[in-house]
């Protein structure tokens, strides 16, 4: 990709310059709409006298702000001409933001806030969540290959350069990164209901099946002796950077980000697993209170019968 005329006005990158306001209209509007809809749902529940966990609201807002951080600041401008900054965008929007958004349980909030009607939005949302399409896109046979292909099949083919060549292409690529992250992490640690929800051990296996490929991708970039992505092989002279050094930095970012979300998701999984066990224990206690602990009595009777036979 020829960067002549594009990014030539950018000064050498610093964090202060990168965090300057430079909103992408598409993502700015999308983020504001998402925040407004979530706030509407929470307010509707509170006015009805229902509770909504503050932690979920904080997580969802943080996830949206993460997207705004990388798409509505000059990080987005620098990301067009610096591979390392683009990789920060990619990792945040495909791994960090989806985890936070999913912990915010937006689908559960919508199902609780939307009014019940014959064929209203709530019923349509339920149909969508349990549709054949959702069964496919949340199944590990789809999510794991897609998660991996978003790295190797994109960056190591001409597809990346094609998408980077236009603004709609760049937006489509970033939306794809976000969608892939959401669908990959949803069955693993999402709070919302979904058609594919395996046991906790299987969820951990799904997590660790995808993460190593991020590390391998990062190592491949760091070990390369020539620029591997055409879009970034001729950075503007005004940036004062070396393309290969910038690519090595991008590889280091991809490698590091394979570890951080893994730890976050693992902690969320363990917390959810513990909560599930506690709820199950409470249900058993309530059932025992209702029926006078018939299950325990039946077990004791069984032991007594075995004892009588052995005499």
């Amino acid at each position: 990709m020829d960067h002549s005329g594009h990014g030539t006005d950018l000064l050498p990158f610093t964090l202060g310059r990168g965090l300057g306001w430079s909103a992408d209209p598409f993502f700015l509007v999308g983020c504001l709409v998402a925040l407004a809809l979530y706030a509407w749902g929470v307010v509707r529940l509170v006015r009805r006298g229902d509770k909504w966990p503050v932690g979920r609201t904080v997580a969802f807002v943080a996830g949206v702000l993460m997207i705004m951080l990388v798409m509505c600041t000059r990080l987005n401008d620098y990301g067009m001409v610096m591979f390392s900054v683009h990789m920060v965008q990619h990792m945040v929007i495909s791994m960090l933001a989806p985890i936070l958004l999913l912990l915010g349980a937006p689908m559960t909030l919508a199902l609780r806030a939307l009014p019940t009607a014959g064929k209203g939005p709530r019923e349509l949302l339920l149909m969508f969540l349990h549709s054949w399409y959702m069964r496919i896109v949340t199944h590990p046979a789809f999510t794991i290959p897609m998660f991996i292909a978003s790295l190797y099949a994109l960056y190591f083919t001409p597809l990346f350069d094609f998408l980077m060549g236009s603004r709609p292409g760049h937006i489509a690529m970033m939306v794809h990164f976000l969608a892939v992250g959401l669908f990959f992490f949803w069955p693993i640690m999402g709070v919302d209901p979904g058609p594919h929800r395996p046991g906790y051990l299987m969820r951990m296996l799904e997590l660790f099946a995808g993460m190593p490929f991020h590390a391998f991708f990062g190592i491949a970039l760091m070990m390369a002796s020539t620029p591997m992505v055409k879009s970034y092989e001729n950075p503007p002279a005004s940036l004062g950077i070396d393309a290969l050094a910038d690519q090595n930095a991008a590889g280091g970012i991809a490698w590091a980000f394979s570890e951080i979300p893994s730890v976050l998701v693992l902690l969320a999984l363990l917390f959810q697993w513990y909560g599930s066990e506690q709820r199950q224990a409470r249900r058993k206690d309530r059932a025992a209170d209702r029926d006078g602990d018939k299950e325990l009595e039946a077990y004791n009777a069984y032991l007594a019968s075995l004892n009588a036979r052995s005499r």
Side-chain angles (χ1 to χ4, degrees):
M1 180 180 176
D2 181 12
H3 288 304
S4 57
H6 182 81
T8 53
D9 60 331
L10 292 175
L11 296 171
F13 179 81
T14 64
L15 187 59
R17 288 169 184 159
L19 294 180
W21 184 253
S22 178
D24 180 289
F26 177 87
F27 281 95
L28 178 61
V29 171
C31 288
L32 292 178
V33 169
L35 289 174
L37 289 174
Y38 198 92
W40 172 84
V42 173
V43 169
R44 185 174 170 85
L45 286 188
V46 171
R47 285 181 176 172
R48 203 167 64 196
D50 292 340
K51 291 182 179 179
W52 182 254
V54 175
R56 290 185 181 178
T57 302
V58 171
F60 186 84
V61 171
V64 174
L65 291 179
M66 282 285 176
I67 297 172
M68 293 182 72
L69 176 70
V70 296
M71 296 308 302
C72 295
T73 64
R74 299 212 81 186
L75 287 176
N76 194 36
D77 300 330
Y78 278 100
M80 297 297 293
V81 290
M82 289 181 66
F83 199 1
S84 55
V85 178
H86 167 83
M87 194 55 66
V88 170
Q89 288 183 284
H90 180 171
M91 295 298 110
V92 168
I93 210 168
S94 70
M95 300 181 77
L96 207 50
I99 291 170
L100 292 167
L101 292 175
L102 289 168
L103 288 175
M107 295 296 108
T108 300
L109 176 63
L111 291 172
R112 288 183 61 184
L114 288 169
T116 304
K119 277 288 182 181
R122 185 179 184 278
E123 286 66 32
L124 292 174
L125 180 59
L126 271 173
M127 287 173 59
F128 173 71
L129 289 174
H130 296 285
S131 65
W132 62 267
Y133 169 79
M134 286 300 295
R135 281 197 294 272
I136 292 173
V137 298
T138 59
H139 196 279
F142 178 88
T143 59
I144 294 173
M146 183 59 67
F147 194 68
I148 297 166
S150 291
L151 293 171
Y152 297 89
L154 183 64
Y155 288 97
F156 297 158
T157 69
L159 179 59
F160 181 82
D161 300 315
F162 171 75
L163 293 172
M164 287 290 285
S166 68
R167 186 173 169 275
H170 184 247
I171 290 172
M173 178 169 56
M174 290 299 175
V175 171
H176 169 77
F177 289 154
L178 178 61
V180 167
L182 287 169
F183 286 126
F184 178 75
F185 289 113
W186 187 351
I188 296 173
M189 44 67 65
V191 182
D192 289 322
H196 176 73
R197 191 52 57 88
Y200 286 96
L201 285 175
M202 280 303 297
R203 294 189 208 182
M204 290 181 187
L205 288 175
E206 286 183 33
L207 172 65
F208 291 115
M211 287 299 121
F213 290 95
H214 257 268
F216 297 151
F217 172 75
I219 291 168
L221 289 179
M222 286 191 288
M223 292 183 66
S225 57
T226 57
M228 299 180 71
V229 179
K230 190 178 179 183
S231 292
Y232 296 111
E233 66 182 4
N234 295 307
S238 64
L239 292 174
I241 60 171
D242 175 68
L244 189 57
D246 188 50
Q247 177 175 282
N248 290 342
I253 291 163
W255 174 78
F257 257 93
S258 68
E259 306 299 325
I260 299 167
S262 298
V263 174
L264 289 175
V265 173
L266 193 57
L267 287 173
L269 263 178
L270 291 172
F271 183 77
Q272 290 173 6
W273 195 350
Y274 174 76
S276 174
E277 292 294 320
Q278 292 293 100
R279 287 192 297 272
Q280 193 171 353
R282 286 196 294 270
R283 279 198 298 269
K284 286 184 177 178
D285 289 342
R286 287 196 297 269
D289 291 339
R290 284 196 304 270
D291 61 17
D293 218 344
K294 289 181 181 176
E295 186 178 341
L296 181 60
E297 288 178 10
Y299 183 65
N300 288 335
Y302 171 70
L303 292 178
S305 67
L306 289 179
N307 189 40
R309 287 178 197 169
S310 62
R311 288 179 180 173

